[in-house]
C-alpha cells in the first residue's frame, strides 16, 4: 500500500476512534440526568437505586472478559460497531422500563454493552497508536470525558423541557447518526496468525495482571472523588452544597484538559517517565486534600490530583495492548476488568471505612496507592513500543 494512503487511513482511523470514545461517554453522561427521574417514576428508595446502579456495573464487568475472544476473532473495529448498535438503544430501554423487574435487566444490558464497547475501543486506539507510531490514548479518553460532559449537559436541558422519554429518543438518534457517520473509518488489526485459536481465554503473561493492578490503583482514587469528595467537604470541612460540588467539577475539569495534552507529554517524555510524574502529582494532591484545613484548599488539591491521575489509566491500557505474545484484546479485557472493578467496589468499601475513620485518612491511603503505581511505573515501558508499518 502507498505510504500516503496508509497514513491517510490511519489518520481517519484516529478520529473515528475518538468519535467512538465520545459516543460511549455521551451515552454514560446521558444516563446521569436520567437517574433522579428513574428513581421517582419507579418509586424506589436510595438503597434500591444503589443496587440497580450496581447491576449496571456488574453488567459491564461481566461483558469485559468476553471481549478479548470477540476481538481476536472479529477484530476491534467489528466489535466496536457491533456493541455500538446495542449501545444506541440501551438508554431508551432503561427509560421505557416501567418497574424494577424490567429495569434491572435493562440496566444490566446497558452496562454490558457500554463495558464491552469500552474494551474494544481501547483496543482499537492501541492499533491506531501502532500505525501512527505516536500516542493517542490519553486524548481518546479526553474525548470520552467530553462526551460525558455533553451528554450530561444536554440531558438536563432536554429532560426539563420535554421529559425523560423524549430525551432518551434524542440520545438514541444522535448515537445512531454519529455511529453511521464515523465508525466506518475505523482501522482494523492485521489478520491474526493462522494458528491463533479463537476462544475465551485469560492472559498467561503475569505482567498483564500487574498492569491491571496499576489500572486498579489509578481508578480507585478517581472513583473516590466522584462518589465521596462532596460529602467529605460537607461533613468534615464545613462546605455548603454548592461549594462541595466544586470538588469533582475541579477534579474532572483538570483531568479533561490534561488528557488532551497527555499524548504530547507522553510522546516527548515517554510512558514510564510520564506515568511516574503523574503518579507523584496525583498522590501529592490526594495527600494535601486529606490534610486540607479549608474547603477551598481541598478543592484545589483535588484539581491538582486530577492533573496527575488523568493519564495514568490511558498509559496502563497502552502498556497492556502492546505486550508481545498476548492478544491486545485479551490483555485489554483483563486490565479494563481489573481497573473498573476498583470504581465498582471502591464506593461501598470507602463508605464503610470512612464511617469509622472519616474521609481524611481514606484519601491519605489513596495517596499511598498512587505511590505504589509510581514504584511500578517501569512496567509501562511497552506502552511506547512501535510497530513497523
Amino acid at each position: 500500500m502507498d505510504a500516503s494512503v496508509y497514513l491517510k487511513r490511519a489518520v481517519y482511523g484516529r478520529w473515528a476512534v475518538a468519535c467512538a470514545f465520545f459516543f460511549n461517554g455521551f451515552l454514560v453522561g446521558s444516563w446521569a440526568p436520567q437517574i433522579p427521574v428513574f428513581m421517582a417514576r419507579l418509586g424506589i428508595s436510595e438503597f434500591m437505586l444503589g443496587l440497580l446502579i450496581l447491576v449496571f456495573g456488574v453488567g459491564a464487568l461481566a461483558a469485559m472478559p468476553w471481549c478479548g475472544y470477540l476481538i481476536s476473532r472479529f477484530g476491534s473495529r467489528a466489535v466496536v460497531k457491533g456493541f455500538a448498535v446495542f449501545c444506541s438503544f440501551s438508554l431508551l430501554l432503561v427509560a421505557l422500563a416501567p418497574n424494577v423487574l424490567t429495569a434491572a435487566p435493562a440496566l444490566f444490558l446497558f452496562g454490558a454493552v457500554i463495558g464491552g464497547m469500552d474494551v474494544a475501543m481501547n483496543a482499537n486506539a492501541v492499533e491506531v497508536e501502532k500505525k501512527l507510531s505516536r500516542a493517542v490514548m490519553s486524548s481518546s479518553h479526553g474525548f470520552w470525558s467530553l462526551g460525558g460532559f455533553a451528554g450530561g449537559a444536554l440531558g438536563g436541558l432536554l429532560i426539563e423541557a420535554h421529559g425523560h422519554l423524549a430525551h432518551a429518543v434524542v440520545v438514541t438518534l444522535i448515537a445512531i447518526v454519529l455511529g453511521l457517520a464515523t465508525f466506518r473509518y475505523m482501522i482494523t488489526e492485521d489478520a491474526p496468525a493462522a494458528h491463533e485459536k479463537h476462544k475465551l481465554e485469560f492472559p498467561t503473561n503475569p505482567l498483564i495482571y500487574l498492569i491491571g493492578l496499576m489500572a486498579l490503583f489509578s481508578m480507585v482514587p478517581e472513583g473516590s472523588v466522584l462518589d465521596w469528595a462532596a460529602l467529605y467537604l460537607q461533613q468534615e470541612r464545613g462546605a455548603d452544597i454548592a461549594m462541595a460540588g466544586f470538588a469533582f467539577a475541579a477534579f474532572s475539569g483538570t483531568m479533561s484538559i490534561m488528557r488532551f495534552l497527555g499524548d504530547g507529554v507522553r510522546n516527548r517524555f515517554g510512558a514510564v517517565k510520564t506515568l511516574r510524574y503523574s503518579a507523584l502529582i496525583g498522590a501529592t494532591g490526594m495527600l494535601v486534600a486529606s490534610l486540607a484545613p479549608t474547603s477551598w484548599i481541598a478543592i484545589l488539591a483535588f484539581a491538582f490530583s486530577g492533573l496527575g491521575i488523568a493519564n495514568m489509566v490511558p498509559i496502563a491500557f497502552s502498556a497492556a495492548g502492546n505486550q508481545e505474545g498476548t492478544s491486545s484484546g485479551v490483555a485489554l479485557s483483563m486490565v479494563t476488568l481489573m481497573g473498573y472493578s476498583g470504581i465498582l467496589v471502591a464506593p461501598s468499601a470507602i463508605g464503610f471505612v470512612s464511617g469509622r475513620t472519616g474521609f481524611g485518612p481514606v484519601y491519605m491511603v489513596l495517596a499511598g496507592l498512587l505511590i505504589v503505581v509510581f514504584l511500578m511505573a517501569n512496567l509501562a515501558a511497552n506502552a511506547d513500543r512501535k510497530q513497523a508499518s
Side-chain angles (χ1 to χ4, degrees):
M1 183 187 298
D2 181 77
S4 61
V5 175
Y6 180 93
L7 181 60
K8 184 177 180 180
R9 289 186 179 179
V11 171
Y12 282 172
R14 186 268 172 279
W15 290 109
V17 78
C19 287
F21 275 83
F22 182 92
F23 173 104
N24 192 279
F26 178 74
L27 287 170
V28 174
S30 297
W31 160 236
Q34 286 267 348
I35 292 175
V37 182
F38 178 81
M39 181 179 177
R41 68 185 181 82
L42 267 59
I44 57 177
S45 65
E46 291 182 0
F47 175 76
M48 180 57 69
L49 176 64
L51 290 179
L52 288 173
I53 292 175
L54 183 63
V55 168
F56 173 92
V58 170
L61 296 180
M64 287 175 179
W66 288 92
C67 286
Y69 160 75
L70 294 173
I71 293 168
S72 64
R73 182 170 184 181
F74 301 109
S76 59
R77 174 186 176 181
V79 177
V80 167
K81 292 169 72 174
F83 274 113
V85 172
F86 292 99
C87 283
S88 298
F89 296 94
S90 55
L91 182 64
L92 182 59
L93 289 178
V94 175
L96 288 169
N99 52 52
V100 172
L101 292 179
T102 53
L107 277 170
F108 183 89
L109 176 64
F110 187 22
V113 295
I114 288 290
M117 183 181 177
D118 193 294
V119 175
M121 68 192 189
N122 275 288
N124 196 264
V126 169
E127 292 303 314
V128 171
E129 289 187 328
K130 292 176 182 178
K131 288 180 167 55
L132 289 178
S133 294
R134 61 182 175 86
V136 303
M137 187 67 81
S138 291
S139 58
S140 295
H141 282 254
F143 278 102
W144 191 95
S145 298
L146 189 62
F149 175 80
L154 177 65
L157 295 172
L158 279 177
I159 291 172
E160 184 177 359
H162 302 291
H164 80 282
L165 196 55
H167 165 247
V169 171
V170 171
V171 168
T172 301
L173 293 175
I174 291 174
I176 291 171
V177 170
L178 184 62
L180 289 175
T182 62
F183 290 177
R184 59 198 174 104
Y185 295 108
M186 296 183 77
I187 65 170
T188 189
E189 292 85 351
D190 296 329
H195 66 275
E196 186 175 343
K197 297 179 180 179
H198 301 300
K199 61 181 180 180
L200 177 64
E201 58 181 326
F202 294 95
T204 56
N205 183 353
L207 189 56
I208 299 299
Y209 297 95
L210 292 175
I211 293 171
L213 192 65
M214 287 199 303
L216 172 64
F217 287 178
S218 301
M219 294 184 85
V220 169
E222 181 179 348
S224 73
V225 177
L226 169 64
D227 292 303
W228 298 112
L231 196 61
Y232 165 54
L233 293 186
Q234 273 189 282
Q235 290 186 351
E236 300 181 25
R237 296 296 179 265
D240 57 26
I241 294 176
M243 182 179 290
F246 282 119
F248 183 68
F251 179 82
S252 60
T254 55
M255 277 190 70
S256 298
I257 293 169
M258 198 60 208
R259 279 179 166 170
F260 283 112
L261 298 175
D263 291 329
V265 173
R266 189 176 127 195
N267 286 325
R268 179 173 180 180
F269 297 106
V272 171
K273 186 176 290 187
T274 302
L275 180 58
R276 187 172 288 133
Y277 284 106
S278 294
L280 279 180
I281 292 170
T284 300
M286 283 289 167
L287 181 61
V288 173
S290 73
L291 300 171
T294 68
S295 296
W296 282 113
I297 292 176
I299 290 169
L300 292 173
F302 282 129
F304 186 72
S305 185
L307 292 173
I309 293 174
N311 292 308
M312 293 172 65
V313 171
I315 289 173
F317 285 173
S318 288
N322 279 300
Q323 293 299 315
E324 295 182 359
T326 304
S327 161
S328 63
V330 171
L332 275 165
S333 65
M334 179 52 61
V335 171
T336 306
L337 173 67
M338 293 179 69
Y340 279 94
S341 293
I343 285 184
L344 180 63
V345 174
S348 57
I350 289 173
F352 177 79
V353 173
S354 64
R356 289 152 180 79
T357 67
F359 287 105
V362 169
Y363 284 115
M364 198 175 296
V365 171
L366 296 179
L369 294 185
L370 296 174
I371 292 298
V372 173
V373 178
F374 166 80
L375 296 173
M376 298 172 70
N378 283 336
L379 300 180
N382 268 18
D384 292 328
R385 185 169 68 86
K386 311 302 182 187
Q387 176 173 290
S389 51

